[in-house]
Amino acid sequence: MKTQLPAKYYLSHFFELAEFIQSQCKHLLLEEQQLFLEKLLQLDEQSLCTLLRIYSRKPKIVALSSLNYEEIPNLHGAIFKLKQQGLVAHPSSDELDLLLEHLTKPTLLTLLANDELMATKPDYKKSASKQRLTQLCKEHIDRNHSELEALFSQFVVNSRCQYYEYFEFLHSGRLSGGDINHQNRFVMRDLGIAKVRADVNESISRFQTLAEAQTHYQLNKLRMQFKESDSESQYQNLAQALLAISCEDELAQSIKNKLLIRLYKQLKEHDLAFAFELLEHCEGSSEAQELAIRQRYKQGDKNWVEQKLEQVIQDPLDDGILYFAEDFLQRKYNKQQRSRLTQMLIDTEHQLEVDDIYRGDVEQGVCEHYQQLGNTVFFTENNLWLSFFTLTFWQELFIETPHPPCNEFDLYPKVLLADCFYTVQQTQIEQKLAKFTSNEALYKYICKNAGQFYEAPNSVFVWHSDMLEPLEVLIKHSPLANLKAHLLQMTKTFKQLKDGYPDLMVLKGDTLTFEEVKAPGDKLRRNQLVSIEVLKQHGFAVNIVAVNWFNDPNRIYSVVDIETTGGVQANNKITEIAVVQLQAGEVINKWASLINPERSIPAFITKLTGINVAMVRDAPRFEEIADTLRSLLKGSVFVAHNVNFDFGFIRKEYGALGQGFKMPKLCTVVESRKAFPKLKSYSLGNLAAHFELNLTNHHRALADATATAELLNLIQQTQSKKAS
């Protein structure tokens, strides 16, 4: 059942915001902002509704004709009152260009046809684009003509950014631009769509002082302006404004650094000296250091670069810049040809031959290789370590933190955002880790928190119903000291260790290893090197697995066909599944089953397939054949005619059971087009007729799968002949 928004829902959102500003943020308001809020609260309901409807619009210019709502029976009266209060105004000649861009093509043509309004007679065609007509109006219109007043009176200027935007910023801590995401998240919350923290009952100010709030607001304004800029002069002006801002906290400096780096990239081709100045104002930024070193080396300033590299190595900001500096110094000054990242890939002793059917999903190919050897394999990447870390320190991050969330929408812990978790909560962290005297105690604690807080929004990791299984393997097969050492390091340098972790965790007997999988042409990224090196320092076995492709002539192709209650996944279910398996061109297995869709079957579907409700009434439900089907398909290639249709329905059924479904795919429609170009139709029925395939009962699963299997053989034979 869908949640319905109440009438005038946006009014309640406004009063919620206003109450927060009045109770928590008065110390963050300038006098004119306080007066503005008081003026809004004194408006009658119809006028306030009108103003909020205007503020909800993206454009700077809003047509009065677009404000036709039941709760505003007297729009012109409301606009009149808002104008009296100085809260809205009609456009003036200063906003004419913006207004012209907002007009429809018929209105633009009317203006161009008005000889009195045109200062000079434009030459145009009615078929011209709207963009061209707008430009002609800008060039030829008489901007001082009195008749423009009639046009201006049909619109109002959206002045949301003057003060109201600042109120929203105080609540969210971030500007959302023209898409009004702040208001949307109230709506999404009320509809039950947006994730919010149920344990946060009241909102608190995220800024301590007016200066801090204004600094963050100005930085966010500049960030939004950067997105809209496209010329050197605009970037120059933004850079000058940014350099004038002084940051008192790390988060503000981080925002400033990112924007300075973006501006550097835009300006370095135009004014390199000024661009370097921008990098010099990036405090504590390893990215800025690296950019400066690379550009200085490119300019030939090799002595400066060598000295800077040695300084970085002596006192690095983080491991990433340290590895870069060591590599750069070796390659550019000691005549080494390869970077550390490239050399690690070349030197790896772990080489695997993987069937090239996994070119689109190399990790899956390596996973199945290990599984065939009898090993237990998990796709882990970042989520394993992020969930382990967060569940270990849930209380410290979300409950007993000196920096609580400002409101229910703040899902990401502030101490992680500022990367100051260990700095401000050292005692709590060390006491927590000291409590775990055995692996069993640590795992029991993880399970307790997972059960208590399951699906609580956190924005650090993704909840999964089976997430405890890999965590159990990790904890039970790793030395406790190694686990605690890595957890401690994550509290100290979370931003550095929040990503880049190996793809797979493999349990071989009682030995646990992590595997970073690289296909031919893949590169090892710096963040991966950092995480791998730190894991190794903490005693974990990490391998870089270099994959080489081969074509396996004995691979098994599982040719699948399904019948459904309709063609759209969202509202339909499977009624029949069939699988025909081929190996080296020979059929080695056949399997088929009707499926009870637990819903009606439309008459036109019964007419098409011959499957009716009576036939499936006593058939198994999908969940009853799910294990059989998965076992049958395991280790093979999923083949179907229009493969995404069949694969998508089956994946959806497994998803409904809380299970994933992933395997290599091959589409006989796609392959038929390659093998047999220029045919009129590539439907299964037409291909069967053209090639005289055995299709005796079209639109029944086993018959279609059998014909598709014959088609696959024909395709492969044709491809083999072309290759030879």
Side-chain angles (χ1 to χ4, degrees):
M1 183 177 177
K2 292 184 178 180
T3 303
Q4 295 292 327
L5 288 172
K8 305 176 188 175
Y9 62 91
Y10 55 92
L11 270 183
S12 62
H13 296 159
F14 163 74
F15 287 121
E16 183 177 345
L17 177 62
E19 195 280 330
F20 165 72
I21 298 296
Q22 287 185 308
S23 64
Q24 301 293 328
C25 300
K26 278 193 173 181
H27 63 297
L28 306 177
L29 301 182
L30 299 170
E31 184 179 357
E32 59 265 29
Q33 293 165 338
Q34 294 177 2
L35 293 174
F36 174 77
L37 181 58
E38 291 170 7
K39 192 179 289 187
L40 295 191
L41 291 169
Q42 291 170 7
L43 287 173
D44 63 89
E45 186 175 279
Q46 181 180 234
S47 298
L48 182 57
C49 285
T50 303
L51 186 63
L52 295 176
R53 287 291 192 182
I54 293 170
Y55 284 167
S56 71
R57 301 305 175 85
K58 180 177 180 178
K60 179 76 172 176
I61 304 294
V62 178
L64 294 182
S65 60
S66 68
L67 300 173
N68 184 22
Y69 297 100
E70 288 185 9
E71 68 269 26
I72 311 175
N74 184 8
L75 174 63
H76 291 285
I79 293 293
F80 178 78
K81 290 180 181 179
L82 292 172
K83 287 195 296 183
Q84 280 187 317
Q85 293 292 322
L87 294 170
V88 300
H90 295 301
S92 66
S93 56
D94 292 336
E95 289 95 13
L96 180 58
D97 284 354
L98 276 176
L99 175 57
L100 291 172
E101 290 170 5
H102 185 76
L103 298 180
T104 63
K105 186 173 179 178
T107 305
L108 291 169
L109 287 170
T110 301
L111 290 178
L112 288 167
N114 189 331
D115 293 337
E116 292 187 12
L117 270 177
M118 294 297 116
T120 55
K121 185 67 175 176
D123 183 19
Y124 65 94
K125 294 181 179 180
K126 291 184 178 181
S127 59
S129 67
K130 180 185 173 185
Q131 182 179 7
R132 175 59 180 159
L133 296 175
T134 302
Q135 187 59 38
L136 285 170
C137 283
K138 290 180 181 180
E139 294 171 357
H140 294 276
I141 202 165
D142 181 354
R143 294 174 178 268
N144 298 314
H145 200 286
S146 59
E147 282 195 23
L148 283 176
E149 294 300 323
L151 178 65
F152 292 155
S153 67
Q154 300 173 39
F155 298 86
V156 290
V157 177
N158 184 353
S159 59
R160 172 182 166 273
C161 62
Q162 186 176 11
Y163 297 124
Y164 196 75
E165 177 184 80
Y166 181 65
F167 299 157
E168 294 178 329
F169 172 78
L170 292 178
H171 189 265
S172 66
R174 185 178 178 87
L175 289 180
S176 55
D179 52 2
I180 322 298
N181 282 334
H182 184 275
Q183 181 170 326
N184 284 347
R185 68 179 187 167
F186 278 131
V187 173
M188 301 295 272
R189 176 202 62 189
D190 292 352
L191 291 173
I193 299 173
K195 295 180 178 180
V196 295
R197 288 191 55 175
D199 59 331
V200 177
N201 298 317
E202 62 178 354
S203 298
I204 60 175
S205 171
R206 67 181 67 250
F207 303 112
Q208 300 302 311
T209 66
L210 174 61
E212 181 190 2
Q214 289 289 325
T215 296
H216 278 264
Y217 180 58
Q218 292 304 320
L219 286 170
N220 274 269
K221 290 279 283 186
L222 293 177
R223 180 175 61 85
M224 299 307 299
Q225 289 174 29
F226 176 84
K227 293 181 179 181
E228 299 170 358
S229 299
D230 58 7
S231 69
E232 180 188 352
S233 61
Q234 288 176 319
Y235 293 130
Q236 287 275 3
N237 292 336
L238 278 177
Q240 295 291 354
L242 189 60
L243 291 175
I245 294 178
S246 177
C247 299
E248 298 180 1
D249 62 279
E250 290 185 4
L251 183 56
Q253 187 63 52
S254 175
I255 297 170
K256 182 177 178 178
N257 287 349
K258 289 178 182 178
L259 195 47
L260 285 169
I261 288 170
R262 290 178 183 178
L263 288 165
Y264 159 79
K265 293 176 180 179
Q266 294 294 336
L267 292 171
K268 66 178 181 176
E269 303 300 329
H270 305 284
D271 187 347
L272 186 57
F274 182 57
F276 274 137
E277 184 183 342
L278 300 183
L279 292 182
E280 290 170 1
H281 282 81
C282 291
E283 298 179 14
S285 170
S286 58
E287 183 181 359
Q289 284 187 345
E290 180 176 339
L291 288 170
I293 290 169
R294 289 186 182 278
Q295 187 64 40
R296 291 270 188 167
Y297 188 86
K298 185 178 178 181
Q299 298 301 116
D301 198 354
K302 295 185 179 180
N303 290 333
W304 182 93
V305 169
E306 186 173 12
Q307 292 176 10
K308 187 66 175 179
L309 289 170
E310 290 173 350
Q311 291 173 11
V312 169
I313 292 170
Q314 288 296 318
D315 187 21
L317 290 170
D318 55 47
D319 287 345
I321 192 67
L322 172 62
Y323 296 150
F324 160 74
E326 291 175 341
D327 263 352
F328 206 86
L329 194 62
Q330 288 294 323
R331 287 189 294 116
K332 301 300 184 181
Y333 295 87
N334 294 335
K335 308 300 183 183
Q336 289 194 8
Q337 298 298 312
R338 299 187 180 96
S339 71
R340 182 175 183 177
L341 299 174
T342 303
Q343 197 63 47
M344 285 182 70
L345 281 176
I346 294 173
D347 292 344
T348 181
E349 298 177 357
H350 300 272
Q351 304 273 339
L352 278 185
E353 300 287 321
V354 174
D355 191 341
D356 65 6
I357 195 68
Y358 292 98
R359 282 182 182 271
D361 194 349
V362 61
E363 294 87 0
Q364 181 70 24
V366 174
C367 175
E368 293 191 10
H369 168 83
Y370 285 132
Q371 287 175 335
Q372 289 170 5
L373 296 176
N375 301 316
T376 303
V377 187
F378 299 94
F379 288 94
T380 51
E381 291 190 307
N382 303 321
N383 209 59
L384 173 74
W385 293 101
L386 292 177
S387 60
F388 181 37
F389 168 79
T390 309
L391 289 172
T392 301
F393 297 111
W394 189 280
Q395 277 76 11
E396 292 75 16
L397 289 170
F398 295 101
I399 301 171
E400 300 166 8
T401 173
H403 298 291
C406 295
N407 55 57
E408 61 188 329
F409 297 101
D410 286 353
L411 306 183
Y412 200 82
K414 292 175 70 175
V415 289
L416 299 186
L417 191 64
D419 208 16
C420 62
F421 186 25
Y422 185 80
T423 304
V424 300
Q425 292 175 258
Q426 177 181 349
T427 302
Q428 289 173 278
I429 290 167
E430 292 179 349
Q431 288 177 349
K432 170 61 67 66
L433 291 175
K435 286 172 55 178
F436 304 124
T437 56
S438 69
N439 294 60
E440 291 74 16
L442 176 56
Y443 179 62
K444 184 177 180 181
Y445 185 78
I446 293 292
C447 290
K448 175 188 173 185
N449 276 349
Q452 183 176 353
F453 302 110
Y454 183 62
E455 291 192 332
N458 63 85
S459 287
V460 183
F461 71 93
V462 179
W463 291 103
H464 292 294
S465 58
D466 55 355
M467 62 180 292
L468 285 177
E469 186 179 358
L471 285 170
E472 180 182 17
V473 170
L474 170 66
I475 295 170
K476 291 191 174 181
H477 292 87
S478 301
L480 180 62
N482 297 3
L483 294 169
K484 291 167 74 169
H486 195 70
L487 286 170
L488 181 62
Q489 189 60 43
M490 290 183 77
T491 68
K492 294 178 177 180
T493 56
F494 182 78
K495 280 190 176 180
Q496 183 176 279
L497 291 176
K498 64 182 174 60
D499 54 23
Y501 287 100
D503 301 301
L504 305 176
M505 182 173 69
V506 183
L507 183 63
K508 306 172 183 178
D510 289 327
T511 303
L512 193 69
T513 63
F514 292 92
E515 313 277 339
E516 177 60 38
V517 179
K518 294 297 179 186
D522 286 352
K523 294 182 179 180
L524 192 66
R525 299 191 302 275
R526 186 90 51 75
N527 65 329
Q528 293 174 327
L529 171 62
V530 170
S531 294
I532 288 171
E533 289 293 317
V534 174
L535 283 174
K536 286 182 175 180
Q537 291 168 15
H538 295 151
F540 294 95
V542 184
N543 300 323
I544 298 173
V545 180
V547 168
N548 297 308
W549 300 120
F550 79 101
N551 191 298
D552 184 1
N554 292 312
R555 72 168 66 118
I556 296 174
Y557 295 91
S558 293
V559 183
V560 181
D561 189 82
I562 65 171
E563 302 302 329
T564 67
T565 60
V568 180
Q569 275 187 43
N571 304 313
N572 290 290
K573 301 272 284 182
I574 297 172
T575 58
E576 189 175 34
I577 302 178
V579 181
V580 176
Q581 292 188 309
L582 297 175
Q583 187 176 40
E586 299 295 327
V587 175
I588 61 170
N589 192 15
K590 288 187 177 184
W591 176 88
S593 176
L594 288 167
I595 305 293
N596 185 347
E598 300 182 278
R599 66 184 58 189
S600 62
I601 301 175
F604 77 94
I605 293 293
T606 296
K607 185 176 181 180
L608 178 69
T609 65
I611 300 173
N612 58 41
V613 173
M615 292 170 61
V616 299
R617 183 175 294 118
D618 297 324
R621 300 185 304 276
F622 183 87
E623 63 187 82
E624 297 175 74
I625 59 92
D627 291 343
T628 299
L629 180 63
R630 187 184 289 278
S631 178
L632 180 65
L633 296 175
K634 185 177 181 180
S636 66
V637 180
F638 188 107
V639 183
H641 204 68
N642 190 11
V643 68
N644 288 333
F645 177 84
D646 304 79
F647 192 90
F649 264 95
I650 291 174
R651 180 174 57 189
K652 176 195 165 192
E653 291 285 1
Y654 278 111
L657 301 176
Q659 302 176 26
F661 182 71
K662 191 176 184 181
M663 60 187 297
K665 299 180 292 183
L666 186 147
C667 181
T668 50
V669 174
V670 173
E671 299 303 318
S672 293
R673 292 182 187 278
K674 295 177 185 176
F676 316 118
K678 299 182 180 179
L679 294 181
K680 290 183 178 180
S681 171
Y682 291 89
S683 70
L684 184 59
N686 286 329
L687 288 171
H690 183 82
F691 293 111
E692 298 182 352
L693 305 177
N694 181 23
L695 184 57
T696 56
N697 195 5
H698 194 17
H699 295 304
R700 287 301 300 269
L702 186 57
D704 286 358
T706 300
T708 304
E710 291 184 21
L711 176 62
L712 177 62
N713 269 337
L714 189 60
I715 290 168
Q716 292 178 331
Q717 291 167 12
T718 303
Q719 291 172 337
S720 180
K721 288 178 183 178
K722 288 182 178 179
S724 61

